[in-house]
Amino acid sequence: MNSHIDPPSSVALLLDRAEQLAGWSLRELADSLSIATPNDLRRDKGWIGQLLELALGASAGSKPEQDFPELGVELKTIPINHQAKPLETTFVSVAPLIGISGLRWQDSNVRNKLSCVLWIPIIGDRASPPGDRIIGQPLLWRPSAEQEQLLRQDWEEIMELISLGQVQSISARHGQVLQLRPKAANSKALTEAIGEQGQPIMTLPRGFYLKIPFTAALLAKHFML
DNA sequence: GATTGATCATAT
DNA sequence: ATATGATCAATC
């Protein structure tokens, strides 16, 4: 019996809502929405993200688009410690492994997702129960020219390797700010990709993730830490 | 502390 | 299987 929240009609309203959540614990927010709070995230890894989506009126469901299509805004929660350092890399999107010839940065999912992000820091540490973690001040972010250049460079380099049949040799170190890693239900999930001789092969689905130093710097710049 | 492969829930 | 939301946890 949780209350439905309408999508915000403007970015300013969205930001207002997000700012009003700052300082609340996740338990308080969950209680106000009549949602049960898990004791840990082992079986509820997406709980925080889904809780904030609900609280801010993001369109629920699994659409391959931004959380607030009308506003062109993507919502991302990011776990940070008390020094404002991110605890985890940030998942951006699944990487296309086939049918990618001619795919440009300008048209990529990564660029689309990251063109405007509402970051909601969640303060705590790995040991703290989800309910005890505190919602931090939100940050509406658009990549600076330099940040976009770094993202683009990494994306183009990684996508080129994928198109050349080198997906299996790409490590999480191949980019400066973006990395490619498995993104799957388990190690048995397979998807089609390009092999070394250009032939189709089956491999683990991959996703693009933002590295911790990049998101740490992004937050530090905004909060002037 | 960063890397890395693996994993969990849910909806379509 | 793919998409959404991510974190776990051993190892480097």
Side-chain angles (χ1 to χ4, degrees):
Chain A
M1 202 68 71
N2 46 45
S3 43
H4 175 73
I5 292 168
D6 292 324
S9 54
S10 71
V11 174
L13 187 53
L14 172 59
L15 195 51
D16 276 352
R17 284 188 189 174
E19 284 169 351
Q20 285 174 17
L21 294 178
W24 290 42
S25 70
L26 293 181
R27 178 174 293 101
E28 289 170 327
L29 179 59
D31 285 353
S32 77
L33 295 170
S34 300
I35 291 171
T37 300
N39 293 318
D40 62 61
L41 297 177
R42 280 181 300 179
R43 308 195 74 88
D44 296 273
K45 295 178 180 178
W47 183 75
I48 297 177
Q50 288 160 352
L51 179 63
L52 271 295
E53 279 186 344
L54 198 60
L56 293 172
S59 35
S62 52
K63 300 170 187 170
E65 278 309 313
Q66 290 155 314
D67 295 294
F68 300 96
E70 293 80 8
L71 306 179
V73 176
E74 171 74 9
L75 175 67
K76 289 222 163 286
T77 59
I78 181 165
I80 63 174
N81 62 18
H82 292 282
Q83 286 73 242
K85 185 192 169 181
L87 269 32
E88 288 288 344
T89 54
T90 302
F91 173 70
V92 180
S93 66
V94 170
L97 302 182
I98 55 170
I100 54 180
S101 66
L103 183 56
R104 298 172 308 161
W105 164 249
Q106 290 299 321
D107 306 314
S108 71
N109 287 176
V110 174
R111 180 177 180 278
N112 181 51
K113 286 275 181 66
L114 298 182
S115 62
C116 186
V117 178
L118 177 62
W119 295 98
I120 310 282
I122 303 297
I123 308 160
D125 54 59
R126 292 180 191 289
S128 48
D132 290 350
R133 301 185 192 185
I134 306 298
I135 301 169
Q137 286 292 336
L139 161 57
L140 189 67
W141 172 79
R142 288 177 180 283
S144 66
E146 306 88 85
Q147 289 170 328
E148 173 149 358
Q149 180 53 33
L150 286 169
L151 291 165
R152 175 179 186 151
Q153 209 168 69
D154 286 350
W155 181 87
E156 289 179 340
E157 179 183 325
I158 291 168
M159 289 307 294
E160 178 167 21
L161 287 169
I162 290 173
S163 69
L164 292 175
Q166 298 299 311
V167 64
Q168 322 235 50
S169 71
I170 301 173
S171 86
R173 264 174 292 206
H174 263 95
Q176 295 180 60
V177 300
L178 206 57
Q179 63 182 189
L180 192 75
R181 299 206 329 265
K183 165 63 172 167
N186 55 57
S187 61
K188 290 160 188 115
L190 295 175
T191 191
E192 194 174 328
I194 303 166
E196 292 187 65
Q197 275 74 47
Q199 82 284 21
I201 60 170
M202 294 305 281
T203 190
L204 217 47
R206 310 300 163 95
F208 283 109
Y209 297 78
L210 295 176
K211 295 188 177 189
I212 289 174
F214 182 74
T215 50
L218 174 168
L219 294 175
K221 181 180 176 186
H222 179 72
F223 295 110
M224 301 186 294
L225 298 174

